[in-house]
Amino acid sequence: MPNPLGAQVDLKSVSVIKVDDAVTEASDLVAREEPLEIRLWSNTDGATPKSISITMRTPGDDFELAAGFLFTENIIQHPSQIAGIRFCGKEGDEKNIVKVELAGDFLPDISRLERNFYTTSSCGVCGKTSIDALSVGACKISPDEFKVDSDTVHSLPDTLRMRQNVFEFTGGLHAAGLFDADGTLLTIREDVGRHNAVDKLIGGFFLAGKTPLSRSILALSGRASFELIQKAVVAGIPVVTAVGAPSSLAIEAAAEFGVTLLGFVRDQRFNIYTHPERINTSVKR
């Protein structure tokens, strides 16, 4: 299982001028933001790897990020389809290029994807505007007996915040945490991009052969957008909570694919937008 203590991210010291009661020069820690190119290579596809994504991310857990991205985009479906992952490239950029070697004669079809694979730290969907695209390779999450108490929901933001090790130094990273039904934190990942944090988190479990994550809760430190629900659906996560607001498309996707979506989970309150049957609450609906 991925290490629950958090991400292996890269920080940078910068010079700043602090203005409060006085004006002083000081140093500050910030999260690095650098591009990561993901390349696919197969023995059956010639000798040249195919570049399929460039995303702006916080360096760290890059192999998990690559695997999680490929899995949640339904390019690969099982860790056995990956023969290996390594850094490549010329000196100076070798840590910003990841090559994923595909196993055997496996050759995924990436031509059907409607998405423009250039993404940024603030946008992980970039062109995929229809829920219909999610139905390709993704299954609805079936109703089951998985239940979460409202007290557990209330506890998630504080637990997530206390374990955001890098946020403590920078104040500038999103977090995604995976919890069990009792609110026990299983793992957490941080990144400048919300979608990258979720890909890193899911990618670790995927590489360990522990998906689908059908009895877990995905907690987000910010808002819930469509691409995050997409990733939860592919990973089989039945409950998604967010400190911030969900988008309209996130709500539509959650309703369509059987995800219980909660927003504004803070200050001992939350809104349930879809599939409330998984949440145990004394409030009458």
Side-chain angles (χ1 to χ4, degrees):
M1 183 188 301
N3 181 1
L5 296 181
Q8 308 166 8
V9 299
D10 195 2
L11 301 179
K12 181 179 180 180
S13 180
V14 297
S15 297
V16 299
I17 296 176
K18 291 191 174 183
V19 180
D20 40 40
D21 294 336
V23 178
T24 57
E25 293 185 2
S27 61
D28 193 18
L29 288 174
V30 298
R32 289 185 184 271
E33 183 177 22
E34 297 181 4
L36 179 71
E37 179 181 355
I38 300 173
R39 297 177 180 176
L40 281 183
W41 184 81
S42 171
N43 281 323
T44 63
D45 194 33
T48 303
K50 289 184 178 180
S51 178
I52 64 165
S53 173
I54 300 175
T55 185
M56 300 301 295
R57 99 298 189 196
T58 304
D61 300 304
D62 290 324
F63 293 174
E64 294 180 354
L65 170 57
F69 174 82
L70 294 173
F71 172 56
T72 59
E73 288 296 334
N74 200 41
I75 295 173
I76 57 176
Q77 295 79 38
H78 194 273
S80 64
Q81 294 168 334
I82 298 177
I85 307 176
R86 65 181 180 86
F87 290 109
C88 62
K90 298 178 180 178
E91 184 177 356
D93 68 359
E94 63 273 8
K95 294 298 184 181
N96 285 333
I97 301 175
V98 166
K99 185 173 78 170
V100 179
E101 182 179 349
L102 301 173
D105 58 357
F106 174 66
L107 187 61
D109 178 16
I110 62 175
S111 63
R112 62 171 176 77
L113 295 175
E114 298 175 6
R115 173 178 179 157
N116 172 2
F117 277 113
Y118 181 82
T119 60
T120 70
S121 61
S122 62
C123 173
V125 63
C126 300
K128 183 184 291 184
T129 59
S130 174
I131 291 177
D132 292 341
L134 182 54
S135 64
V136 179
C139 298
K140 291 184 179 181
I141 297 176
S142 300
D144 55 24
E145 298 304 314
F146 184 72
K147 302 286 186 180
V148 180
D149 290 334
S150 57
D151 287 345
T152 297
V153 174
H154 291 314
S155 73
L156 300 182
D158 287 343
T159 302
L160 191 67
R161 177 65 183 83
M162 287 188 296
R163 299 299 288 272
Q164 286 185 253
N165 298 331
V166 184
F167 183 91
E168 194 67 33
F169 293 103
T170 67
L173 290 182
H174 295 284
L178 198 75
F179 294 80
D180 66 15
D182 295 326
T184 300
L185 179 64
L186 303 177
T187 194
I188 182 175
R189 291 292 180 264
E190 296 178 84
D191 198 277
V192 289
R194 296 186 310 272
H195 59 290
N196 289 337
V198 174
D199 276 341
K200 288 179 177 180
L201 183 150
I202 293 175
F205 285 95
F206 172 74
L207 289 173
K210 296 185 179 294
T211 53
L213 302 168
S214 57
R215 304 193 65 79
S216 59
I217 308 163
L218 175 63
L220 307 171
S221 64
R223 64 185 180 89
S225 52
F226 167 76
E227 71 271 19
L228 304 184
I229 300 301
Q230 166 196 314
K231 296 176 187 301
V233 169
V234 175
I237 300 172
V239 178
V240 176
T241 74
V243 171
S247 69
S248 61
L249 195 59
I251 295 171
E252 292 176 35
E256 175 69 20
F257 286 89
V259 174
T260 299
L261 175 59
L262 283 61
F264 297 106
V265 183
R266 58 179 188 252
D267 303 324
Q268 293 299 299
R269 64 183 178 89
F270 57 85
N271 294 341
I272 306 175
Y273 292 91
T274 58
H275 299 281
E277 63 274 6
R278 292 193 181 96
I279 307 302
N280 289 324
T281 174
S282 60
V283 177
K284 294 182 180 180
R285 294 188 293 271

